[in-house]
Amino acid sequence: MSDYIPKLFFLQAEILVKAQQEVGETMGELGLAFIKLAKFESENAVFNTQRTHATDAKRLATAAVKASRFYRESNAQSVRHLVCCHNYCFI
């Protein structure tokens, strides 16, 4: 029974790390897609409302890229802490 709990914990930890990694990758891809969209919209803007929309798309792209970086750093810290937990449980 005592061996079951650490295995379950580390299985859940692995799932958490993979989920954080996927969210970070998805946010990065979303940011890059919005960067391309913003560039296209700003190059082809004729009216002020279109320029405003392009600016908003660029802000959204920047926020998505920053969120992606946050998730990657958060994931790296999670892995570091989980390695410490793993070492502590199996010493």
Side-chain angles (χ1 to χ4, degrees):
M1 180 70 179
S2 64
D3 191 34
Y4 175 74
I5 293 174
K7 287 181 181 179
L8 180 62
F9 171 76
F10 290 113
L11 178 63
Q12 290 174 337
E14 184 178 339
I15 292 169
L16 170 70
V17 167
K18 284 184 179 183
Q20 281 182 328
Q21 184 176 6
E22 288 175 7
V23 169
E25 290 172 1
T26 302
M27 292 296 285
E29 290 171 7
L30 179 67
L32 292 177
F34 271 105
I35 287 171
K36 291 176 185 177
L37 176 67
K39 182 180 177 187
F40 175 78
E41 287 184 345
S42 64
E43 289 173 353
N44 297 313
V46 176
F47 301 109
N48 284 336
T49 55
Q50 292 172 323
R51 288 185 193 95
T52 302
H53 190 269
T55 302
D56 289 342
K58 185 175 181 183
R59 286 184 188 134
L60 181 63
T62 302
V65 170
K66 286 182 179 181
S68 172
R69 291 178 187 152
F70 166 77
Y71 271 103
R72 290 179 189 197
E73 179 60 30
S74 173
N75 197 30
Q77 287 184 11
S78 294
V79 169
R80 282 195 296 268
H81 293 302
L82 290 169
V83 165
C84 289
C85 289
H86 182 270
N87 292 340
Y88 179 77
C89 287
F90 291 106
I91 287 182

